[in-house]
Every structure is written in structure tokens, then in C-alpha cells.
Amino acid sequence: MNYTILECWEKSSGNWVVRIQLNEFISVFCNCDEKPSQEKVNSIAERYLEDMKNQEENEKLYLKQVEEKNASEN
């Protein structure tokens, strides 16, 4: 899947800022050490989405553990 590059500029020599549209609701800014290619942007976007998924799963696991602890105390 190709992710949309919303903005891209060279902040300083070898320091690029790129804004990527991850989905219809979320866009992110990230830094690259070279002008980002579509392939690089796709890789960054996929890592962001995977991290978001993992964070959501960890939050669900934590809430489940809290509920189980509270249930065992009652």
C-alpha cells in the first residue's frame, strides 16, 4: 500500500521532515536522514501502524489484568 506524503521539506542538511497520512483520521510527522522515497514512507507508515496496534493490545491486556485483580480482591 502506498501512503500519502502530505508535506516534506529539508529542515537542515540531511534532516528531512515528512508528514504521512496513515489513514483517514491520522497523520504523523517523522524525520528522515535523506529525502524520503515512497518505499521509505511506506515502511515508516507500516511501522507506525504496527506500533499503534501493539500499544492498543498492551492497553487491553493491562485493563484485563486490572479487572482480574479487582475481581479477586472482592
Side-chain angles (χ1 to χ4, degrees):
M1 176 175 194
N2 284 334
Y3 295 90
T4 303
I5 300 170
L6 298 174
E7 299 176 68
C8 183
W9 68 92
E10 190 173 25
K11 186 173 180 178
S12 60
S13 181
N15 183 14
W16 288 81
V17 177
V18 60
R19 182 176 171 211
I20 305 168
Q21 188 75 40
L22 296 180
N23 60 34
E24 61 188 71
F25 304 108
I26 300 171
S27 67
V28 295
F29 286 94
C30 61
N31 290 12
C32 296
D33 55 359
E34 59 187 35
K35 186 173 183 176
S37 64
Q38 185 66 55
E39 183 178 310
K40 177 79 170 176
V41 167
N42 293 345
S43 174
I44 292 168
E46 289 168 7
R47 279 187 272 141
Y48 264 99
L49 290 170
E50 185 65 29
D51 287 347
M52 288 170 56
K53 179 182 172 188
N54 290 338
Q55 182 178 0
E56 184 177 303
E57 289 173 1
N58 287 339
E59 288 171 359
K60 287 178 184 178
L61 178 60
Y62 172 76
L63 291 174
K64 182 179 178 186
Q65 290 172 341
V66 168
E67 289 174 1
E68 289 173 353
K69 181 180 177 192
N70 289 340
S72 68
E73 290 177 353
N74 291 334

